[in-house]
Amino acid sequence: MTTERILEGLARREPAALARAITLVENQRDGFEQVLSHAHGLLGRSGTRRVGITGPPGAGKSTLTEALIQRFRAQRLSVGVVAVDPTSPFTGGALLGDRIRMESVSLDPGVFIRSMATRGAQGGLATTTEEVADLLEAFGFERVLIETVGVGQTELDIARSAETTVLVLVPESGDGIQALKAGVMEIADIYVVNKSDRPGADKFRQEGGGGRSKAVNRADGDWETPVLSTVASTGEGADELAAALDRHYAYLQAGGRLADRRRQRLAARTRAVLERSVRRWLLEGTRVEELLALRLDEVADGRRSPYDVAAEILDQVKAGGGATR
């Protein structure tokens, strides 16, 4: 399907066109930037709220995501989901392979679910995921959920692309919290202790992952990060989580915080897109690989360092000697 046909399909709100647009963006095929530029002009029109849901594997994020979708649909809100698993490819299925079966929402025309893996994010997983979220917002979904697996830098970047970040933990997380504190613990807007029907849940919740049941989110000044209890498999606590999401969004709206976050996000996006374009130009529009091959033996036998060779290649590119004629 041509880019023009995809844009026409998006204008008619055809799910098939949306799916093709996402594939175009994931694989950065010809025309993907045209589609994204079109989508950018539509952002902010449908009152979309973006929610990032992250946490360690096995915390029940997917089940909690399903419970949230059900709450949103009960409010007649359309929902788009981007599910990211940077550790394993997908073989198909509604969401995250065998880790979840979303029978309750997968056939709902008001719900669109797309899974992503690193194999389809050639220009940086976080940037590509945010671009897919843009497509969902431009399509008109009122809630966009971005679910990630793990707590690495990629997940932090993806979570930052949302207005509200939910960190999902389980009572067994225990000492593992210490490893999270320097990263996602500090940017989470809401903590959720899922599977809270398990032993030790109350104690873990009271500790709040660090000695408090509430903590001040440094990124948002005086926002007190609530620590909620859920049992996602039964839906228990999902209403409280949905209410907390509303409270945080209202908090962001007050004092212009929402607009500030959006500006920061767009600035970061522009830098990421520029970096991606420069990387592509270096690899495709210059003789970098050829120049590297000429010096590789010298690097391998220790006569020159990678830094010396990189500096030489960059100097040649700057001077025009590395450009493809």
Side-chain angles (χ1 to χ4, degrees):
M1 181 177 286
T2 65
T3 302
E4 289 72 21
R5 290 276 302 278
I6 289 176
L7 291 175
E8 291 171 2
L10 290 175
R12 292 192 294 267
R13 303 193 77 250
E14 297 175 358
L18 175 59
R20 291 189 177 95
I22 291 175
T23 298
L24 191 76
V25 169
E26 275 190 289
N27 296 295
Q28 294 175 31
R29 295 173 183 162
D30 289 344
F32 85 99
E33 289 175 327
Q34 180 184 348
V35 170
L36 289 170
S37 292
H38 172 79
H40 181 77
L42 300 175
L43 300 183
R45 296 186 180 184
S46 58
T48 301
R49 301 184 192 179
R50 301 190 190 192
V51 178
I53 302 174
T54 189
K61 297 180 298 298
S62 297
T63 309
L64 191 62
T65 297
E66 182 180 15
L68 271 178
I69 292 172
Q70 292 170 342
R71 298 307 181 280
F72 292 146
R73 293 300 292 143
Q75 301 173 40
R76 299 185 181 279
L77 297 170
S78 57
V79 185
V81 181
V82 187
V84 183
D85 187 344
T87 60
S88 63
F90 295 96
T91 56
L95 177 61
L96 298 179
D98 61 357
R99 292 204 301 108
I100 189 170
R101 297 291 183 267
M102 283 200 168
E103 291 91 349
S104 65
V105 295
S106 61
L107 299 179
D108 185 336
V111 178
F112 183 95
I113 301 170
R114 181 65 174 242
S115 59
M116 291 180 58
T118 48
R119 59 176 180 163
Q122 301 168 4
L125 183 60
T127 302
T128 306
T129 301
E130 190 174 354
E131 288 169 339
V132 171
D134 279 357
L135 291 176
L136 294 176
E137 177 175 346
F139 196 76
F141 288 105
E142 296 157 295
R143 296 292 182 272
V144 172
L145 307 181
I146 305 171
E147 184 205 335
T148 70
V149 177
V151 287
Q153 185 59 46
T154 293
E155 285 68 47
L156 298 183
D157 291 340
I158 292 171
R160 287 191 185 101
S161 73
E163 282 95 20
T164 303
T165 299
V166 178
L167 172 61
V168 185
L169 303 167
V170 288
E172 295 84 356
S173 297
D175 294 337
I177 292 295
Q178 300 303 320
L180 305 181
K181 277 188 175 180
V184 74
M185 288 292 288
E186 294 187 359
I187 68 161
D189 302 299
I190 299 171
Y191 301 148
V192 171
V193 181
N194 192 34
K195 305 181 182 180
S196 60
D197 51 346
R198 292 183 176 179
D202 290 340
K203 181 176 183 293
F204 182 76
R205 181 182 179 280
Q206 288 303 315
E207 290 174 352
R212 290 176 293 183
S213 61
K214 289 189 176 182
V216 174
N217 184 308
R218 298 176 187 175
D220 273 331
D222 56 349
W223 168 256
E224 288 189 334
T225 306
V227 182
L228 307 179
S229 296
T230 63
V231 182
S233 59
T234 66
E236 180 181 335
D239 288 334
E240 289 76 6
L241 175 56
L245 291 173
D246 286 340
R247 288 198 305 273
H248 185 252
Y249 191 81
Y251 166 82
L252 291 177
Q253 283 183 309
R257 297 179 184 91
L258 194 63
D260 288 343
R261 276 199 174 193
R262 184 173 185 272
R263 287 179 62 86
Q264 291 172 10
R265 193 168 71 216
L266 289 174
R269 167 81 68 80
T270 304
R271 285 191 289 269
V273 171
L274 178 61
E275 180 181 328
R276 182 172 65 190
S277 299
V278 170
R279 186 186 305 116
R280 184 187 304 150
W281 172 75
L282 278 173
L283 293 177
E284 299 176 3
T286 71
R287 296 172 52 234
V288 165
E289 290 297 329
E290 179 184 340
L291 295 171
L292 174 59
L294 292 174
R295 297 287 184 266
L296 192 55
D297 288 341
E298 297 176 29
V299 175
D301 62 21
R303 283 179 289 161
R304 303 187 67 180
S305 75
Y307 310 98
D308 296 333
V309 173
E312 178 190 350
I313 291 175
L314 187 58
D315 285 342
Q316 290 195 41
V317 170
K318 288 179 179 178
T324 301
R325 298 279 188 248

